[in-house]
Amino acid sequence: MTTPFPFTAVVGQDDLRLALLLNAVSPAVGGVLVRGEKGTAKSTAVRALSALLPEVAVVPGCRFSCDPAAVDPGCPDGPHEGGGRAARPARMVELPVGASEDRLVGALDIERALAEGVKAFEPGLLADAHRGILYVDEVNLLHDHLVDLLLDAAAMGASYVEREGVSVRHAARFLLVGTMNPEEGELRPQLLDRFGLTVEVAASREPGQRVEVVRRRLAYDDDPAGFAARWAGEEAAVRARIVAARELLPSVRLGDGALRQIAATCAAFEVDGMRADIVMARTATALAAWAGRTDVLAEDVRQAALLALPHRRRRNPFDAPGLDEDKLDETLEEFGGDDGPDTDPDGPDGGGGQPPAEGPEGGGDAGAPAEAGESGESQSAGAGSGERSPVGAAEPFRTKVLSVPGIGEGAAGRRSRARTEHGRTTGARRPGGALTKLHLAATVQAAAPHQRARGRSGPGLVIRRDDLRQAVREGHESNLVLFVVDASGSMAARQRMSAVKGAVVSLLLDAYQRRDKVGLVTFRGSAAEVALPPTSSVDAAAARLESLPTGGRTPLAAGLLKAHDVLRVERLRDPARRALVVVVTDGRATGGPEPVALASRAARLFAADGVASVVVDCESGPVRLGLAGRLAGELDGSAVTLDELRADSIAGLVRDVQRRAA
């Protein structure tokens, strides 16, 4: 077994370590979501935590880790009367991004359930994680229905498996920890709310801290067992402190003053619902127990707010994370409690309750290069030449869905029709592998003609594996929405770029809600560039768009060819994901020999490949040339003006796209 990196040897990352330890003290806090750039010790710290958790007492042979002192009466392996007692280390179970629903919640043997009425159940990862840690790396990349299942189990403390009226329930109480890189996409706000705490982590930019990170990592890689032995004393001390805090927790008093501060803070930051108040109360109580106190102080409430509120106040993916600490301090002072004198949050008895740190303070395992600013060449030819500074986006608005025609088989989402594991049942087929969704009527219909030949004598059907039928379901998929944005001088000269950016931001918000991947290609001057390769992070796309300069000629052909190349590469990476190309332009093509003819030939490449496309016509003024509409025809797509892009003006657009594709 691989020796884990010691928890106490992680350099810096105090908020991350504190959030994990508070959940170890009080699992009722509700878990931790760790957000941050790659290489910041997220996974290392989570995996190291399991070694600090006290052993758990279990019923020998129970696959669901029943506690001998409080046996689950509904345990599928029960009853456990006189089942004895054993102890084992707390488990950390990892949920892979590509896991199936059956792997997460467990699988019921449908064939035996139908033929014999036997609940033959194979436990899943939720059963393995009971009374331990369930760790989901890259939780933002999980399919939505898997996230819903695990968060529901975390909230209810139980997992339910149902197949055609046959159900199994078992306890599933665990410490839920998720890590994610925001550059790869966000979780939906309602799912963010189900994590008790959130922590933003970043690599230190201080050379001394980074040196210590590298030194410790190299020492661990050279001799994992020896490195762990050198930190055994610190690990034992933290383990003992967790046990002591757990024992003290029931004695901690949450006074009326602290409760007023909690309620006022949640109200001041306009947090939806009451879950934030409850999580803050539990977190503040755990902080006091971790600090060895029986009274909750103002510093506990402040630290609890910093951990429990940032992810609950985000309304869309473009909102900046974090809290206004000045506003927080003002609120706490205005509604100050009477639970005791203020103390230094960094002191030994302070509410911050920071975990002990050995060695130099550090920021993480590695740094990430700073974002490179958008660069652009200054053009000198043609109207509107010369680079112009970026302009802000106009106020976003709600758009109606632009869907890809036909039925796909891509990743689950909310945009275009697709054959999926979840959705309405449209038919049945023989299962190609393991049966996941039984079509009961088709199964009975397949088995019925053979009952006499199989010697049926009782009331039940004689079912064989060849009779089983898989339900064919139709739902919705996510797509790759590739924006091709004209940033030439002709767009800026008419002061339309603000409206154009507002329209693209509106479409980005729609893509976020529909779980799409997005990409951004821009063209101006003499060339086109991929401003953002396809990603699930729509806020990254919005940031690139915000800093987009304008100016120069209009190399429309270059923009289309660059977009075509991006799609070609993406088809190799993800062949099941269909694309929707959104070209934002006035349709002009200038610069180079035969620019109009080149743009026409480039557009016909998309039509030949059957790529769904929409042209957002940015032409304005009393005299219109209709170039964007002509481009849409060559793309075999549809054209819509900026005004028509709004939800109340775009009702016929999808029908038009589908009609052209028919």
Side-chain angles (χ1 to χ4, degrees):
M1 181 177 178
T2 304
T3 303
F5 192 92
F7 186 85
T8 51
V10 174
V11 178
Q13 305 295 22
D14 287 342
D15 286 343
L16 168 58
R17 293 191 293 146
L18 178 61
L20 292 172
L21 290 169
L22 292 177
N23 275 272
V25 171
S26 176
V29 166
V32 186
L33 176 64
V34 187
R35 297 162 44 91
E37 59 196 20
K38 53 188 176 293
T40 48
K42 300 190 298 293
S43 300
T44 298
V46 174
R47 292 189 175 98
L49 177 67
S50 61
L52 295 179
L53 298 182
E55 288 189 334
V56 294
V58 297
V59 174
C62 178
R63 297 174 297 168
F64 301 88
S65 302
C66 277
D67 185 350
V71 174
D72 180 7
C75 176
D77 282 356
H80 294 308
E81 298 178 2
R85 180 186 183 91
R88 63 161 177 78
R91 292 176 182 154
M92 191 196 75
V93 177
E94 294 195 43
L95 173 61
V97 169
S100 66
E101 179 180 342
D102 285 346
R103 183 72 186 99
L104 176 63
V105 301
L108 197 65
D109 191 326
I110 301 297
E111 186 176 2
R112 292 189 64 191
L114 288 177
E116 305 173 30
V118 176
K119 294 182 181 180
F121 181 68
E122 183 65 29
L125 295 176
L126 291 180
D128 293 341
H130 180 46
R131 304 177 67 201
I133 301 173
L134 180 62
Y135 172 46
V136 190
D137 194 13
E138 306 295 353
V139 65
N140 51 325
L141 302 184
L142 277 180
H143 286 179
D144 283 353
H145 73 281
L146 290 181
V147 177
D148 290 338
L149 286 171
L150 71 90
L151 291 179
D152 284 344
M156 296 185 295
S159 175
Y160 295 85
V161 182
E162 299 199 15
R163 295 289 189 275
E164 304 297 339
V166 181
S167 63
V168 172
R169 173 219 168 266
H170 65 82
R173 292 183 296 276
F174 47 82
L175 168 57
L176 177 63
V177 181
T179 58
M180 59 177 283
N181 184 345
E183 293 181 357
E184 296 173 341
E186 290 284 353
L187 280 174
R188 303 195 312 267
Q190 61 267 41
L191 299 184
L192 283 172
D193 186 51
R194 300 298 290 272
F195 284 93
L197 309 179
T198 187
V199 178
E200 296 279 343
V201 296
S204 173
R205 298 300 189 256
E206 184 176 326
Q209 295 176 353
R210 298 174 75 95
V211 166
E212 186 61 23
V213 169
V214 175
R215 180 181 290 118
R216 293 188 187 184
R217 185 70 209 191
L218 293 178
Y220 170 77
D221 290 341
D222 289 341
D223 182 10
F227 184 82
R230 291 195 294 274
W231 289 87
E234 288 79 359
E235 294 281 286
V238 173
R239 190 178 299 110
R241 188 173 175 184
I242 291 173
V243 173
R246 284 184 173 185
E247 294 174 352
L248 183 62
L249 187 65
S251 303
V252 175
R253 185 180 70 91
L254 183 65
D256 290 342
L259 279 173
R260 283 196 303 271
Q261 288 183 316
I262 290 170
T265 300
C266 293
F269 285 99
E270 300 180 352
V271 177
D272 294 335
M274 294 299 298
R275 184 174 285 118
D277 304 62
I278 296 170
V279 172
M280 274 190 65
R282 290 171 173 167
T283 305
T285 303
L287 279 162
W290 176 250
R293 289 184 278 96
T294 56
D295 288 315
V296 174
L297 304 181
E299 287 78 9
D300 300 322
V301 176
R302 186 181 193 279
Q303 182 69 64
L306 293 174
L307 293 172
L309 297 187
H311 60 303
R312 292 188 165 87
R313 57 176 298 274
R314 301 189 78 192
R315 296 296 188 268
N316 64 62
F318 308 141
D319 290 342
L323 291 182
D324 182 341
E325 296 195 31
D326 291 336
K327 180 178 179 180
L328 173 60
D329 291 336
E330 291 173 3
T331 303
L332 293 176
E333 183 176 353
E334 180 180 355
F335 293 89
D338 54 1
D339 293 294
D342 290 343
T343 59
D344 180 3
D346 295 325
D349 295 322
Q354 297 293 347
E358 295 293 332
E361 292 295 324
D365 280 349
E371 291 285 349
E374 299 293 338
S375 61
E377 298 176 313
S378 177
Q379 303 298 324
S380 58
S385 63
E387 182 176 307
R388 306 190 182 191
S389 58
V391 298
E395 189 70 20
F397 51 85
R398 186 173 62 89
T399 67
K400 282 195 175 179
V401 60
L402 309 178
S403 63
V404 178
I407 300 179
E409 296 182 342
R414 298 180 177 182
R415 183 172 296 279
S416 305
R417 293 173 58 197
R419 285 181 286 271
T420 63
E421 287 293 317
H422 299 268
R424 63 186 182 90
T425 301
T426 60
R429 62 174 175 81
R430 290 180 181 272
L435 180 72
T436 56
K437 300 292 181 182
L438 178 75
H439 194 296
L440 182 58
T443 298
V444 172
Q445 186 176 3
H450 308 292
Q451 295 305 295
R452 180 175 298 177
R454 294 174 182 174
R456 171 185 169 185
S457 58
L461 284 174
V462 179
I463 301 290
R464 294 180 179 172
R465 183 163 295 277
D466 289 344
D467 301 327
L468 299 179
R469 294 295 183 267
Q470 175 83 21
V472 176
R473 299 191 173 191
E474 183 179 306
H476 289 84
E477 66 178 1
S478 62
N479 298 112
L480 166 60
V481 182
L482 181 61
F483 294 93
V484 185
V485 180
D486 183 350
S488 65
S490 66
M491 300 285 285
R494 294 170 176 80
Q495 298 181 349
R496 289 171 292 169
M497 189 50 69
S498 177
V500 167
K501 288 185 176 182
V504 177
V505 167
S506 302
L507 290 168
L508 284 171
L509 281 169
D510 181 69
Y512 165 72
Q513 294 164 354
R514 301 186 187 281
R515 314 301 290 167
D516 293 316
K517 291 181 70 174
V518 296
L520 178 62
V521 172
T522 64
F523 58 94
R524 66 188 185 92
S526 60
E529 68 171 341
V530 181
L532 183 71
T535 175
S536 296
S537 178
V538 297
D539 53 341
R544 299 292 198 281
L545 185 73
E546 187 70 21
S547 60
L548 178 66
T550 58
R553 294 188 180 274
T554 312
L556 177 57
L560 294 175
L561 291 173
K562 182 69 73 174
H564 189 268
D565 190 54
V566 170
L567 294 183
R568 178 183 60 80
V569 174
E570 282 301 303
R571 276 194 292 268
L572 297 175
R573 292 175 176 168
D574 190 357
R577 188 183 295 270
R578 298 186 294 164
L580 174 66
V581 176
V582 180
V583 185
V584 185
T585 181
D586 57 11
R588 297 172 185 269
T590 61
E594 300 182 341
V596 177
L598 284 174
S600 177
R601 288 199 291 271
R604 287 196 289 270
L605 291 175
F606 290 86
D609 290 343
V611 177
S613 60
V614 174
V615 177
V616 179
D617 185 358
C618 301
E619 190 174 27
S620 62
V623 179
R624 297 182 180 237
L625 303 178
L627 298 177
R630 189 182 308 167
L631 174 64
E634 291 168 337
L635 288 165
D636 198 17
S638 296
V640 58
T641 65
L642 286 173
D643 291 336
E644 293 170 342
L645 193 60
R646 297 180 179 274
D648 55 359
S649 304
I650 197 174
L653 179 60
V654 175
R655 291 194 298 272
D656 188 37
V657 172
Q658 294 172 336
R659 185 168 55 251
R660 286 175 177 271

